[in-house]
Amino acid sequence: MSKVVVVTSGKGGVGKTTSTAALGAALARSGNRVCVVDFDVGLRNLDLVMGAERRVVYDLINVANGDAKLAQALIRDKRVETLSLLAASQTRDKDALSEEGVARVVAELRGLFDYVLCDSPAGIERGALLAMRFADEAVVVTNPEVSSVRDSDRIIGLLDSKTLRAEQGHRIQKQLLLTRFDAGRASRGEMLGVADVLEILSIPLLGIIPESEEILRASNVGAPITINAATSQAGRSYEDAARRLMGETVPMLVPGEKKSLLNRILGRRAA
Amino acid sequence: MSLFGLFKPRAATAPVARERLQILLAHERVALGPDNLIAILRDEILATIAKHVEIAPEAVKVTMGQQGAVSTLEIDVDIPTEKITASLARQMPTKAVA
Ligand SMILES: Nc1ncnc2c1ncn2[C@@H]1O[C@H](COP(=O)(O)OP(=O)(O)O)[C@@H](O)[C@H]1O
Ligand SMILES: [Mg+2]
């Protein structure tokens, strides 16, 4: 059964594109057929993070408008066989994308892939709403910082009201991916902690990704961190998150801390 | 700043962030939430008034404000005086005539 997952946040620059690439590659490396789709029309970046910027011929808009076949637009990853990319257009604007067109593309992708990851543009406007429209699940990417948490809260509300699943009266699964986390700063009370963000947003935790130079290095060379530095701390955190997305139970580690979060909570309770 | 100031631990700001967010989001979830309380209240208030007085839809304004931890609901209704007199006349004809 195919799953369509939107990677969304409201706020820009929090790590949606980085996370789409990293989760997509990790899911594909464990044998799933995965397509990552860039919905950031006009500001496409997923192709760059995936290292496929020079291979884009046709994009999501071309396929949605019927100007190209899906097979012509899909870019197969050269490193991971089961991973594909559908790029966004750089020249058109987001009004060029119609809801019916997106519906057709997503339906066709469902027939070809186990996971379709939709990289949402920032904001709460048309582009972001189209990216989430046909999703079964959502990964809400949040930084431990006030404006990001506020925007995530807003996005959670939209996921519960504006997605097709929600309109049909179904629940849409939403999981929190806390990124750019700095355990040291959180423990010194300089940055919101994991428990703070979880309590405020009250959705389950998919993973905690540390602030890491490896991420920048990976994007410099155009490789998802889970391909470029899979054993780095950030790489492993994304691998774990991908396994949780597949439904596996993986102990939650706070990057930069030795004990698992569960132990910490239990430890604190016992004390 | 003295040299000692450099080593003094700075006050934790995360608890402040957390509290501000909790207050703000409690308010925003109601105002912007999927059920959009403001729109519902506006529609129902309008319907109630319209049963008794002829009124234009845009005459009812509902806004939600916030002061510290307290949310306030402000309802502003404009009704032209002649409409009030007319409806009073309809409801209480004897008095209106007298
Ligand atoms: N965990 C991280 N550590 C360090 N830098 C990060 C991390 N996650 C993302 N970044 C950087 O933050 C910037 C924005 O990330 P991006 O994925 O493009 O965000 P978005 O798609 O939400 O706008 C990029 O420069 C990216 O390399
Ligand atoms: Mg992006």
Side-chain angles (χ1 to χ4, degrees):
Chain A
M1 204 193 67
S2 178
K3 246 186 207 171
V4 178
V5 182
V6 63
V7 180
T8 186
S9 71
K11 190 169 157 70
V14 295
K16 290 179 293 297
T17 302
T18 304
S19 300
T20 305
L23 292 173
L27 289 168
R29 274 170 41 122
S30 38
N32 295 288
R33 295 167 300 164
V34 179
C35 185
V36 290
V37 185
D38 194 345
F39 273 83
D40 205 344
V41 175
L43 277 176
R44 76 175 197 214
N45 272 324
L46 189 55
D47 56 333
L48 206 52
V49 173
M50 298 281 294
E53 69 278 9
R54 295 171 63 182
R55 299 171 63 204
V56 179
V57 181
Y58 294 111
D59 56 54
L60 173 64
I61 290 192
N62 296 138
V63 185
N65 292 355
D67 302 330
K69 293 233 165 64
L70 181 59
Q72 296 177 292
L74 286 175
I75 302 167
R76 288 270 290 271
D77 192 272
K78 291 197 165 148
R79 299 148 301 202
V80 186
E81 212 189 342
T82 52
L83 179 61
S84 294
L85 162 73
L86 181 55
S89 166
Q90 185 71 310
T91 48
R92 312 281 292 275
D93 67 78
K94 45 190 167 295
D95 296 329
L97 209 51
S98 72
E99 184 174 327
E100 303 74 53
V102 173
R104 256 183 288 113
V105 178
V106 172
E108 206 176 341
L109 288 170
R110 278 184 194 274
L112 298 172
F113 296 96
D114 301 311
Y115 286 93
V116 178
L117 302 192
C118 305
D119 181 19
S120 175
I124 52 167
E125 313 287 307
R126 184 177 161 77
L129 294 178
L130 275 177
M132 70 168 65
R133 182 70 188 153
F134 303 101
D136 303 311
E137 294 187 14
V139 172
V140 179
V141 181
T142 308
N143 294 163
E145 172 269 319
V146 282
S147 56
S148 174
V149 174
R150 178 199 211 172
D151 290 358
S152 291
D153 192 76
R154 189 76 192 278
I155 278 291
I156 290 168
L158 292 175
L159 286 164
D160 285 332
S161 60
K162 299 278 200 245
T163 53
L164 190 61
R165 266 190 79 80
E167 281 178 10
Q168 290 170 343
H170 299 293
R171 220 183 65 83
I172 176 153
Q173 157 125 309
K174 304 162 292 283
Q175 298 187 83
L176 177 72
L177 190 62
L178 194 62
T179 61
R180 311 201 69 159
F181 183 74
D182 184 329
R185 299 185 66 189
S187 72
R188 289 192 297 275
E190 296 168 13
M191 190 184 250
L192 287 167
V194 180
D196 293 331
V197 181
L198 278 178
E199 190 191 330
I200 293 168
L201 294 179
S202 54
I203 58 173
L205 184 60
L206 183 68
I208 308 163
I209 314 297
E211 172 76 23
S212 158
E213 285 176 16
E214 291 291 340
I215 300 270
L216 197 60
R217 242 197 284 277
S219 76
N220 282 342
V221 299
I225 180 103
T226 44
I227 292 178
N228 198 54
T231 55
S232 66
Q233 202 170 49
R236 273 186 286 129
S237 304
Y238 271 120
E239 296 272 358
D240 285 354
R243 286 170 58 197
R244 292 187 197 102
L245 203 57
M246 290 186 270
E248 289 178 36
T249 310
V250 183
M252 188 70 70
L253 294 166
V254 180
E257 281 180 13
K258 304 240 160 49
K259 278 196 206 164
S260 78
L261 178 63
L262 194 64
N263 282 346
R264 276 186 347 121
I265 292 169
L266 292 178
R268 204 190 296 160
R269 288 238 176 93
Chain B
M1 202 221 275
S2 81
L3 198 57
F4 290 111
L6 288 175
F7 301 105
K8 209 166 55 184
R10 300 178 65 186
T13 48
V16 182
R18 177 197 151 104
E19 200 183 308
R20 287 176 59 219
L21 274 170
Q22 277 169 333
I23 294 168
L24 175 71
L25 295 182
H27 169 256
E28 284 186 348
R29 279 173 193 153
V30 177
L32 306 165
D35 305 324
N36 199 343
L37 181 67
I38 292 193
I40 294 170
L41 284 174
R42 205 187 141 276
D43 290 349
E44 291 188 5
I45 291 165
L46 181 63
T48 306
I49 298 173
K51 271 193 268 179
H52 307 284
V53 187
E54 198 184 307
I55 185 174
E58 54 281 1
V60 177
K61 289 190 193 73
V62 178
T63 46
M64 206 168 254
Q66 193 194 352
Q67 258 130 40
V70 180
S71 285
T72 57
L73 186 71
E74 200 174 304
I75 301 166
D76 192 353
V77 186
D78 286 337
I79 303 174
T81 319
E82 66 269 25
K83 294 274 159 56
I84 292 267
T85 326
S87 70
L88 279 177
R90 252 182 282 122
Q91 277 165 17
M92 296 173 278
T94 43
K95 266 198 189 155
V97 168

